[in-house]
Amino acid sequence: MKKKIKELREKYISNPPEGMTSEDIRHMSEDDLLDMDCFLNEDVFGDDFGEEGFYIF
């Protein structure tokens, strides 16, 4: 797991999300880094959005 976190940290240090700096990423806790990655990569509607069987009346 540490290797994954190190890779994520390097990824976001080289290309920080809007509103953040590479210095912010360096000082983030592992949990915060994982939460940020999850938030930035979540699929809001999922793969099944718009398929048959999904109706709101």
Side-chain angles (χ1 to χ4, degrees):
M1 184 66 142
K2 296 284 185 182
K3 184 177 180 183
K4 174 74 172 166
I5 292 171
K6 184 177 180 177
E7 290 172 1
L8 280 176
R9 192 174 304 275
E10 289 173 5
K11 171 186 171 184
Y12 289 118
I13 285 174
S14 65
N15 187 18
E18 185 176 338
M20 298 190 83
T21 66
S22 57
E23 196 64 27
D24 294 333
I25 305 298
R26 280 187 186 92
H27 296 292
M28 288 179 96
S29 71
E30 292 177 357
D31 288 338
D32 289 341
L33 187 64
L34 291 171
D35 288 345
M36 179 186 73
D37 183 61
C38 184
F39 174 76
L40 292 173
N41 294 303
E42 75 179 345
D43 188 0
V44 176
F45 295 112
D47 294 337
D48 298 335
F49 183 72
E51 290 187 11
E52 185 176 347
F54 181 76
Y55 300 101
I56 298 177
F57 294 99

